[in-house]
């Protein structure tokens, strides 16, 4: 057994100009696939064959195995990121909408804060909306680092590595972040993650 590159949950041309098919070809077909292949290549030496991806991430962190941590966390983060996106425009509802109002004042306030965090994050990494204890929080983590390695429950992420947006937005990270937040978030999936479902959906057995 080995980890697999998960299929995209939509057609790669479903987002039109928001995220081009070419971006998916590179980002999913080459970058994400390379993280899967590199992780698989390191499992035997680390004695972690047969573990789940999240177990591998946590074990690699505990052992200080940076190469395995970076690659396995990138596999999980990307699997989660694809699930956070939807070609059909949505907005939060129900418990998620109520929690956003409680913790940020309004959806617009939350989105503005998320955008600031994603745009202001220096160099490569990921911006996250997480459930930390009982409150929603916006944070960003560097390089491959992931909330699943920190006991936080991830609800939503945007990849702010240049490879996520360079083909469609060149160096305009703010345009990429704003466009995706406005038009391409799967809020139904984000709501399911309040119960921790997304952690499992992006996980798999190695
Ligand atoms: Zn990426």
């Amino acid at each position: 057994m080995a980890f697999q590159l998960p299929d995209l949950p939509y057609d790669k041309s479903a987002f039109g100009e928001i995220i081009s098919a070419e971006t998916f070809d590179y980002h999913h077909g080459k970058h994400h696939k390379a993280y899967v292949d590199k992780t698989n290549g390191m499992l035997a030496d680390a004695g972690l064959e047969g573990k789940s991806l999240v177990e591998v991430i946590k074990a690699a962190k505990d052992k200080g195995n940076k190469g395995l941590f970076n690659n396995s966390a990138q596999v999980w983060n990307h699997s989660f990121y694809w699930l956070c996106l939807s070609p059909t425009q949505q907005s939060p509802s129900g418990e998620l909408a109520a929690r956003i109002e409680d913790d940020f004042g309004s959806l617009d306030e939350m989105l503005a804060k998320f955008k600031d965090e994603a745009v202001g994050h220096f160099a490569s990494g990921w911006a996250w909306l997480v459930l930390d204890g009982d409150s929603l929080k916006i944070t960003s983590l560097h390089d491959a680092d992931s909330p699943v390695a920190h006991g936080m429950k991830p609800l939503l992420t945007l990849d702010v590595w240049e490879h996520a947006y360079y083909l469609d937005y060149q160096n305009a990270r703010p345009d990429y972040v704003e466009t995706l937040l406005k038009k391409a978030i799967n809020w139904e999936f984000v709501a399911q993650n309040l119960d921790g479902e997304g952690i499992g959906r992006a996980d798999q057995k190695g």
Side-chain angles (χ1 to χ4, degrees), residues 27 74 78 126 159 161 163-164:
H27 197 183
Q74 283 292 75
H78 282 91
W126 298 79
D159 187 342
W161 286 58
H163 69 217

Side-chain angles (χ1 to χ4, degrees), residues 130-152:
V130 297
L131 190 59
D132 189 17
D134 202 34
S135 20
L136 299 184
K137 200 171 109 183
I138 285 165
T139 188
S140 58
L141 295 169
H142 283 283
D143 301 322
D145 203 5
S146 176
V148 298
H150 298 276
M152 293 184 283

Side-chain angles (χ1 to χ4, degrees), residues 22-58:
E22 195 187 10
T23 287
F24 282 115
D25 281 340
Y26 279 92
H27 197 183
H28 173 259
K30 296 192 190 297
H31 291 282
H32 194 181
K33 182 174 186 304
Y35 296 126
V36 172
D37 291 345
K38 284 181 192 160
T39 298
N40 285 333
M42 291 186 249
L43 285 179
D45 277 353
L48 292 169
E49 283 169 312
K51 300 282 186 195
S52 78
L53 192 49
V54 171
E55 286 168 341
V56 169
I57 294 167
K58 289 177 175 169

Side-chain angles (χ1 to χ4, degrees), residues 46-117:
L48 292 169
E49 283 169 312
K51 300 282 186 195
S52 78
L53 192 49
V54 171
E55 286 168 341
V56 169
I57 294 167
K58 289 177 175 169
K61 188 185 177 200
D62 289 346
K63 292 173 182 212
N65 186 336
K66 273 200 156 183
L68 182 56
F69 176 79
N70 285 335
N71 281 285
S72 58
Q74 283 292 75
V75 175
W76 189 91
N77 289 348
H78 282 91
S79 301
F80 187 81
Y81 171 62
W82 310 132
L83 293 167
C84 287
L85 303 178
S86 166
T88 317
Q89 204 165 341
Q90 306 177 5
S91 51
S93 60
E95 189 196 341
L96 176 64
R99 277 177 169 270
I100 288 172
E101 278 199 19
D102 283 352
D103 291 346
F104 297 98
S106 69
L107 175 64
D108 284 348
E109 294 267 326
M110 191 278 275
L111 294 176
K113 209 170 170 189
F114 193 102
K115 185 183 169 190
D116 282 351
E117 185 76 34

